[in-house]
């Protein structure tokens, strides 16, 4: 038990990473977690909780925690843990995390992360965008202090920092794919079908990814204060695609928008999609697999779709992703306006149903105003979707320019063309499998 894994917010991508680390480290780690509820309270108070609950051991050598934890507080409260090699992992940073109003940004959360970096021995970010947006914001952020401001914090922290892309272990989704996607996949990466499964020998980036995981001691997050062998993180894509943010992990503190309505919202019936017309004759199928929150900018997404609807362009849409206590009003408005164009609406608790929905889709859209990695988009690409992402945030780091747009109008024009000619995306060979494959961990 030489590695101590601590995750104050054990849900989504935070849980996925910790589960993967625990599976890789097996008996050589102890995992301590708190439920993925009331994030703000976890960021403020979890150090005190872990002070009392993390078991004492002379075997610990490394402490790995996500940046939700105030590492400085824990190191002070538990001097025995402060002596360990401390690795801090950033899924997101609070210095550049978008808020609806400037006044809503709570200074304390970003300040805690800066303190944690100063105490840590190694600081790991899931993307270069995440790292640079954090480091370059420190100076401006500290100017919020009215006087006696600390100096040169970026220079102190930067040498500790490195980028280690979020590791994703992709499941075999070939059994969910329509025939045209299977045929396209064979062309792109040269895999061969063996019965209903694919042989993934030699997939690009596989060996590099395994080497990174084995060489790094900086990838843990979460569990209960005891080893839990057998957990696995095969919840993200599976072929050549990068890993990213919490997608279909458990939906902590979530509310199901379909509760009390048609229970078909809770399952995804692929036969309803694949029966009837020849697949190439079906309307364009658009997927939006993101959290139902303002930072994912659902307003822009739905306004583009409503404009397509106004022009009587044929398309279907599956709106997936987790929901929380407050759902933006645009969702109820959009569901009414889009009407029969809605194929699926709501969170899919089943991983198989989730991947089945993505495999049935043609295009996956992000309109995010915040994204430090973007697992959902990577999963969708793994499932054969054509990605359209903002030319901003982390996306240019992962996706080639062909899949980026600069304005909502550009997004509309791309979708308008695809609605008229869905065969374009169905015949398209994705251009960046080599790039995405290098970020993935394959089973």
């Amino acid at each position: 038990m030489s590695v101590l894994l601590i995750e104050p917010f054990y849900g989504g991508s935070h849980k996925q990473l910790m589960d993967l680390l625990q599976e890789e480290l097996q008996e050589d780690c102890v995992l301590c977690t708190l439920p993925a509820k009331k994030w703000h309270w976890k960021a403020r108070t979890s150090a005190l909780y872990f002070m009392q609950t993390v078991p004492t051991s002379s075997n610990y050598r490394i402490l790995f925690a996500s940046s939700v934890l105030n590492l400085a507080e824990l190191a002070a409260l538990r001097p025995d843990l402060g002596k360990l090699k401390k690795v801090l992992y950033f899924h997101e940073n609070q210095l550049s995390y978008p808020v609806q109003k400037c006044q809503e940004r709570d200074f304390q959360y970003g300040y805690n992360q800066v303190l944690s970096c100063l105490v840590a021995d190694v600081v790991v970010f899931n993307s270069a965008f995440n790292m640079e947006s954090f480091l370059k914001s420190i100076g401006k952020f500290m100017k919020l202090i009215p006087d006696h401001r600390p100096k040169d914090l970026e220079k102190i922290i930067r040498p500790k920092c490195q980028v280690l892309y979020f590791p994703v272990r992709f499941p075999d989704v070939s059994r969910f794919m329509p025939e045209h996607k299977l045929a396209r996949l064979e062309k792109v990466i040269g895999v061969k079908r063996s019965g209903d499964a694919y042989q993934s020998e030699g997939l690009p980036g596989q060996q590099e990814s395994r080497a990174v995981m084995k060489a790094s001691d900086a990838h843990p997050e979460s569990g209960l204060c005891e080893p839990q062998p057998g957990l696995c993180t095969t919840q993200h894509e599976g072929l050549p695609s990068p890993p990213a943010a919490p997608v279909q992990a458990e939906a902590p503190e979530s509310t199901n928008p379909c509760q009390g309505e048609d229970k078909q919202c809770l399952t995804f019936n692929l036969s309803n999609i694949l029966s009837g017309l020849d697949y190439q004759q079906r309307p364009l199928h658009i997927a939006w697999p993101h959290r139902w929150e303002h930072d994912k900018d659902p307003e822009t997404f739905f306004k583009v779709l409503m404009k397509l609807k106004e022009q009587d362009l044929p398309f279907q849409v599956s709106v997936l992703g987790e929901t929380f206590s407050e759902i933006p009003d645009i969702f109820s408005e959009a569901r009414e306006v889009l009407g029969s164009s809605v194929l699926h609406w709501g969170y899919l608790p089943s991983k198989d149903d989730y991947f089945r929905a993505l495999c049935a889709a043609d295009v996956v859209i992000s309109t995010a105003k915040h994204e430090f990695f973007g697992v959902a988009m990577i999963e969708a690409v793994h499932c054969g979707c054509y990605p359209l992402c903002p030319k901003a945030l982390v996306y240019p780091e992962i996706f080639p320019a062909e899949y980026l747009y600069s304005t909502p109008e550009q997004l509309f024009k791309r979708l308008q063309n695809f609605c008229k000619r869905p065969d374009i995306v169905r015949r398209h060979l994705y251009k960046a499998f080599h790039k995405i494959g290098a970020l993935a961990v394959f089973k």
Side-chain angles (χ1 to χ4, degrees), residues 93-101 104-105 294-296 369-372:
N93 77 76
Q94 293 303 311
L95 301 193
S96 58
Y97 198 94
V99 291
Q100 290 179 298
K101 298 177 183 177
E104 293 179 358
R105 187 179 301 280
H294 80 275
D295 61 299
K296 300 304 181 183
K369 294 185 289 188
H370 139 259
E371 193 60 81
F372 294 116

Side-chain angles (χ1 to χ4, degrees), residues 50-114:
F50 288 122
M51 176 201 75
Q52 296 182 328
T53 57
V54 172
T56 302
S57 173
S58 60
N59 295 324
Y60 297 149
R61 297 292 179 269
I62 296 170
L63 188 164
F64 182 97
S66 79
S67 60
V68 176
L69 175 71
N70 188 327
L71 186 58
E73 288 183 348
L74 182 62
L77 293 167
R78 284 283 300 268
D80 59 320
L81 302 182
K83 296 176 183 178
L84 305 177
K85 180 171 183 178
K86 297 172 289 298
V87 181
L88 188 68
Y89 190 88
F90 276 74
H91 293 267
E92 58 277 314
N93 77 76
Q94 293 303 311
L95 301 193
S96 58
Y97 198 94
V99 291
Q100 290 179 298
K101 298 177 183 177
C102 184
Q103 300 94 309
E104 293 179 358
R105 187 179 301 280
D106 189 318
F107 181 85
Q108 193 64 41
Y109 301 128
Y111 184 69
N112 287 354
Q113 290 189 329
V114 172

Side-chain angles (χ1 to χ4, degrees), residues 267-330:
T267 59
F268 192 86
N269 191 343
L270 188 63
S271 64
N272 290 342
I273 300 169
L274 300 184
S275 60
L277 294 173
D278 176 81
Y279 198 89
Q280 296 295 344
Q281 296 177 335
R282 299 175 187 279
L284 183 75
H285 184 178
I286 301 167
W288 195 82
H290 310 286
R291 282 183 290 105
W292 293 23
E293 293 187 304
H294 80 275
D295 61 299
K296 300 304 181 183
D297 197 5
E299 289 81 5
T300 292
F301 173 70
F302 286 125
K303 285 177 182 177
V304 168
L305 261 59
M306 290 176 190
K307 192 172 179 181
L308 295 174
K309 189 78 171 178
E310 288 174 4
Q311 297 193 5
D312 291 326
L313 291 167
F315 69 89
Q316 294 176 317
V317 62
S318 290
V319 180
L320 312 172
E322 298 178 68
T323 60
F324 294 87
S325 55
E326 295 183 11
I327 299 176
D329 294 339
I330 188 65

